[in-house]
Amino acid sequence: MDPQFTVMASPPSELAAAFLQTGITLGLMLVCVYLYARFHKAYFAAWALAWGLYAVRLSSIAAFLLTARPIWLYWHQVLTGLTALALLWAALVFSQQVRWRSAYWLLVLFPPLWSYLAIYRMENFFLAAGPAVLFLSLATMWTGVVFFRHHRSIGSRPAALMAAAFLLWGVHHLDYPFLRARGAWNPWGYYLDIVFELFIGLGILLLVLEDQRQGLSVLSALSGDLQRGGAEEDIVEALLARPLTLPAVTGSAMFYRGSDGDGHFTHGAGTCADWIGDGAAGPSRDAIETVIRDGHPAAAHGWPSPDDGRQAGHAYTAALPVFRGEEVVGALVVVGKARDPFAVLDEEFLIALGHHVGAALANADLYKRLAERSTELERLTVQMVRQHEEERQRLSRELHDETAQVFAAVRLQVALARDEAEGERRARLEQALEFIGSGIRSIRAVARDLRPTLLDDLGLLPALQAQATEFERRTGIETDFRAPDTAPPVSAEAELALFRAMQEGLANVARHSDAGSVHVVLSCDAEGVSMRVEDDGNGVRPTDDEDTGAHMGLVGMRERIGALGGSVTLNDSADTGAVLDVMVPLSSGGSQ
C-alpha cells in the first residue's frame, strides 16, 4: 500500500501535538514505574510497559510524518496494537489477577503480522486499515468492560471513571480510517487522545488512593480491636470479621503452623467458616508456606478447597504473616471475588500488623492462662476458707464439749471441797471457783467466736441481732441493727461470711474508730444481699504498722467474700466515720 495515498502531508501543528502527547505518555509511564517500585505489583509494571509502548508508537508516527518511510508506519501500527493489548493485560491483572497463557501469543502476533500485510501487501486502504482499527478499538473497549465489571463488583468510582475513558477511547479509535488517516481532525485527534490518557492516569492514581484508604481503614479498625484485648476467641473473631467489610472480600481464616511443620485452619468467617480443621492444598498451601518461610505477605490467583484441592470459586487469596516474637507461627488468609484487597498497602505496614496480631494473640493466651490461674486460686481460696471454718468448728466443738466440760467437772469438785472446808481454806477454794468460772466463760467465748452456735441454732437474722446486742453490751457503743423481716435466700457459706464480716467490722469499730455509735443495715435485692456497717468515728486511716491486724482482717474478709463472688469496700462516710459495704450474690455458694 502506498503510504503517500493513506497519509496526507502533515502540518507542523500535528507534529507539535504528537510530541506533546509523547511527553505526557512518558510522564504516565514514569508514574507507573514509580508505583511498581513502590508496591511491587505486576499490573503497575504492565501499565508502565503499555505507556512505554505508546510513547514509542507516538515517536514512530512522528518519524513517519517527517520521513514518509513505510518502516515507521509499520512500527506505528504494530506498537498501536501492542499498546492496546498491554493496557488490556494490565486491567485484567489488576482486577482479576489473570495469568499468562500460551494462547495469548496469538493476540500478540496479530499486530505485527497484519501490519506487514496492510503496509506492504494490500492496496485497498479500508481493507488494510479496517481489521487493525477494529482490533485496536475492541481491545480498548474490552479494557473498559474489565474496569466496568470491577466497578460493578466492588463499587469503585475510579474504576467507573477508567471504564468510561476506555470505552470512549475505543469509540474514538474508529474514526481513524475516515478522519485522522486522511489528514482531517488534526491535531484535535491528538488532543482528544491526551484527554483520555489524562483521565486514565487520574483513574490509576485514584484506584491506588482508594485501595489505600479502604485497606488502612480496615486495618486501623482491626488494630483498635486488638488493643482492646480480651480472650483469644474474641480477638480472632474481630480479626476475621474486619476484612469482610472490604469490597468483594468473601471470607477470612486463621491458619496456624503445627510443631510437625504442617498446620490447619483454626478459625474461619464468611465463606471460610467451614475450613476449620482443614489443611491447605495446591496454590493455597504454596502461598501459606511462602508467607511462613519468608515472613512477607503473599497473594495468589484462586484458592482451592482445602479438603480436596478443587477450585473453590475465589478469584484471589491474600495471606498476611502472624508473628510470635520474630517467628512466623501462622497466617491470616483473606479470599474474595475481585482482587487482593491489600494490593497497594506497604509491605512494612502489613508485617507490622502481623507482629501486632501475634502480640495480641500472645496477650490473649496470657490472659487465658491468667484467668485459669485465677480460677484455680479462687477454688483454692474457697477450699482454704472451708477447711479453715471446719477447723474452727472442730476446735469450737472440742472446747465446748471437752475442755469446758472438764472445767465444769473440776468446778463441781472444787465446790464440794469448798463446802467441806472452813476458814482460810474455804476462802481460797471460793477464789479458785471464781477463777474456774472465769476460765469457763472465756472458753465458751472463744468457742462462740470460733463457730457461732446462734447461726446454727437460730439462723442469720437472730445471730446478727444477737451479735449487735452483745457488741453494744461489751463496748458501750450504741449499736443500731436493721434487717428485713425474713432472711435472704443465701447458702450456709454466705450466711457465715456475712456473720464474720459483721463481726470483723464491729471489731474494727471498737479498736480503731473511737466511735460513739454504729449502724448495721442488711438489705436484699435482685443482685444479692448487702450489708453496711457505718460508724461516726475517725474515718478510714492509712494502714500502718500499728494497724496490721485491721488490715489483715480486711484482707481475710475480702478473701472470704470474694470466694463467694461478692465484694468488700471500705470508705469514708459522707459526714464522718467509715463505711464498710459487703455484698454477696444470691446464688453464692462457693466454687466447686
Side-chain angles (χ1 to χ4, degrees):
M1 181 175 62
D2 185 4
Q4 298 295 332
F5 172 77
T6 59
V7 180
M8 299 180 65
S10 302
S13 60
E14 183 175 354
L15 285 174
F19 289 137
L20 175 62
Q21 187 179 2
T22 302
I24 292 175
T25 304
L26 289 173
L28 291 175
M29 181 193 72
L30 293 177
V31 169
C32 293
V33 168
Y34 169 78
L35 292 176
Y36 175 74
R38 183 74 173 80
F39 301 112
H40 305 287
K41 300 301 178 182
Y43 44 82
F44 289 130
W47 269 325
L49 174 63
W51 295 125
L53 290 174
Y54 199 179
V56 177
R57 173 252 186 192
L58 291 170
S59 300
S60 299
I61 192 61
F64 174 72
L65 293 175
L66 292 172
T67 65
R69 295 180 61 183
I71 186 64
W72 294 117
L73 182 61
Y74 169 77
W75 283 113
H76 161 69
Q77 296 293 340
V78 171
L79 292 170
T80 299
L82 294 180
T83 298
L85 290 177
L87 289 172
L88 174 60
W89 177 250
L92 291 172
V93 174
F94 171 80
S95 64
Q96 302 174 20
Q97 294 186 332
V98 174
R99 293 182 175 181
W100 183 264
R101 298 180 182 178
S102 300
Y104 296 161
W105 285 109
L106 296 177
L107 293 175
V108 175
L109 291 175
F110 176 80
L113 294 177
W114 185 260
S115 297
Y116 176 78
L117 294 175
I119 300 299
Y120 295 105
R121 292 290 182 265
M122 303 184 70
E123 296 295 335
N124 187 288
F125 170 75
F126 285 102
L127 182 61
V133 170
L134 186 62
F135 176 85
L136 173 63
S137 180
L138 289 178
T140 306
M141 290 183 179
W142 189 0
T143 306
V145 170
V146 170
F147 280 109
F148 179 74
R149 292 177 61 185
H150 184 71
H151 162 69
R152 289 287 302 273
S153 177
I154 69 173
S156 171
R157 292 183 180 179
L161 172 66
M162 296 185 69
F166 274 109
L167 288 172
L168 292 175
W169 204 11
V171 174
H172 174 56
H173 289 324
L174 295 175
D175 69 13
Y176 176 79
F178 307 101
L179 297 175
R180 286 181 290 172
R182 297 184 177 275
W185 194 238
N186 286 322
W188 305 109
Y190 289 95
Y191 296 151
L192 192 57
D193 285 340
I194 291 174
V195 171
F196 288 130
E197 284 188 53
L198 291 177
F199 271 105
I200 293 170
L202 176 63
I204 292 173
L205 294 178
L206 290 178
L207 281 173
V208 172
L209 293 176
E210 180 183 58
D211 279 357
Q212 285 187 327
R213 179 183 58 80
Q214 292 175 345
L216 289 174
S217 175
V218 169
L219 295 179
S220 297
L222 177 58
S223 178
D225 293 336
L226 296 178
Q227 287 180 352
R228 284 194 287 272
E232 182 174 3
E233 291 294 327
D234 297 334
I235 291 179
V236 175
E237 183 178 349
L239 182 68
L240 298 182
R242 285 295 181 182
L244 297 181
T245 62
L246 285 168
V249 172
T250 58
S252 56
M254 179 62 71
F255 182 91
Y256 280 110
R257 180 178 62 177
S259 57
D260 55 356
D262 292 330
H264 63 279
F265 293 98
T266 58
H267 302 81
T271 56
C272 305
D274 57 349
W275 289 11
I276 299 176
D278 293 334
S284 60
R285 181 184 180 91
D286 296 338
I288 290 179
E289 287 182 350
T290 300
V291 167
I292 293 177
R293 181 183 67 251
D294 300 336
H296 296 280
H301 177 69
W303 186 267
S305 177
D307 52 359
D308 56 14
R310 294 178 299 176
Q311 188 70 21
H314 303 298
Y316 74 88
T317 171
L320 308 182
V322 175
F323 294 85
R324 290 286 178 91
E326 297 301 322
E327 180 185 5
V328 181
V329 297
L332 170 62
V333 177
V334 179
V335 299
K337 58 184 179 181
R339 52 185 293 273
D340 178 4
F342 307 121
V344 294
L345 294 181
D346 290 343
E347 184 171 288
E348 293 80 4
F349 180 88
L350 296 177
I351 293 175
L353 175 69
H355 282 284
H356 194 178
V357 170
L361 294 176
N363 290 337
D365 183 55
L366 291 176
Y367 175 86
K368 178 181 178 181
R369 285 189 286 173
L370 179 60
E372 292 174 350
R373 180 61 59 88
S374 298
T375 301
E376 293 176 358
L377 290 176
E378 288 178 1
R379 292 175 179 172
L380 178 60
T381 300
V382 171
Q383 184 178 359
M384 291 178 62
V385 169
R386 184 179 293 115
Q387 291 177 348
H388 180 64
E389 200 59 43
E390 289 174 354
E391 183 66 17
R392 291 168 67 106
Q393 186 175 11
R394 184 186 66 80
L395 291 175
S396 175
R397 187 183 303 111
E398 289 183 359
L399 288 174
H400 183 275
D401 296 343
E402 298 180 13
T403 307
Q405 295 303 322
V406 170
F407 270 84
V410 171
R411 180 180 182 182
L412 178 60
Q413 295 297 324
V414 172
L416 293 176
R418 180 202 59 185
D419 293 340
E420 296 176 355
E422 295 180 355
E424 184 179 354
R425 183 184 180 92
R426 182 182 180 91
R428 291 180 178 178
L429 290 174
E430 186 70 32
Q431 187 178 17
L433 284 174
E434 292 178 1
F435 289 154
I436 293 173
S438 176
I440 292 175
R441 288 191 296 272
S442 298
I443 290 175
R444 288 175 176 172
V446 171
R448 184 171 59 250
D449 289 339
L450 286 172
R451 179 68 184 181
T453 56
L454 286 176
L455 189 61
D456 296 330
D457 299 337
L458 303 179
L460 178 62
L461 295 184
L464 295 179
Q465 179 63 63
Q467 184 172 203
T469 302
E470 174 62 21
F471 176 78
E472 183 176 7
R473 183 194 65 79
R474 188 175 70 253
T475 63
I477 299 175
E478 181 182 351
T479 305
D480 177 36
F481 176 75
R482 299 178 185 179
D485 295 334
T486 58
V490 293
S491 64
E493 290 180 342
E495 289 183 347
L496 181 58
L498 289 170
F499 184 89
R500 294 296 188 199
M502 180 176 173
Q503 187 178 51
E504 182 63 30
L506 292 177
N508 287 335
V509 170
R511 286 196 297 262
H512 307 289
S513 70
D514 195 20
S517 64
V518 60
H519 300 275
V520 181
V521 179
L522 188 73
S523 60
C524 182
D525 54 27
E527 294 183 358
V529 180
S530 300
M531 183 176 66
R532 168 167 289 194
V533 180
E534 183 174 4
D535 63 66
D536 59 357
N538 300 324
V540 179
R541 294 182 299 170
T543 301
D544 52 28
D545 294 339
E546 296 179 358
D547 295 325
T548 302
H551 177 67
M552 294 306 297
L554 186 61
V555 171
M557 187 192 312
R558 283 175 173 157
E559 288 184 355
R560 184 186 296 273
I561 298 297
L564 301 174
S567 62
V568 177
T569 59
L570 178 63
N571 298 294
D572 287 319
S573 64
D575 298 326
T576 184
V579 178
L580 174 68
D581 286 309
V582 178
M583 193 281 293
V584 177
L586 289 177
S587 59
S588 60
S591 305
Q592 298 301 319

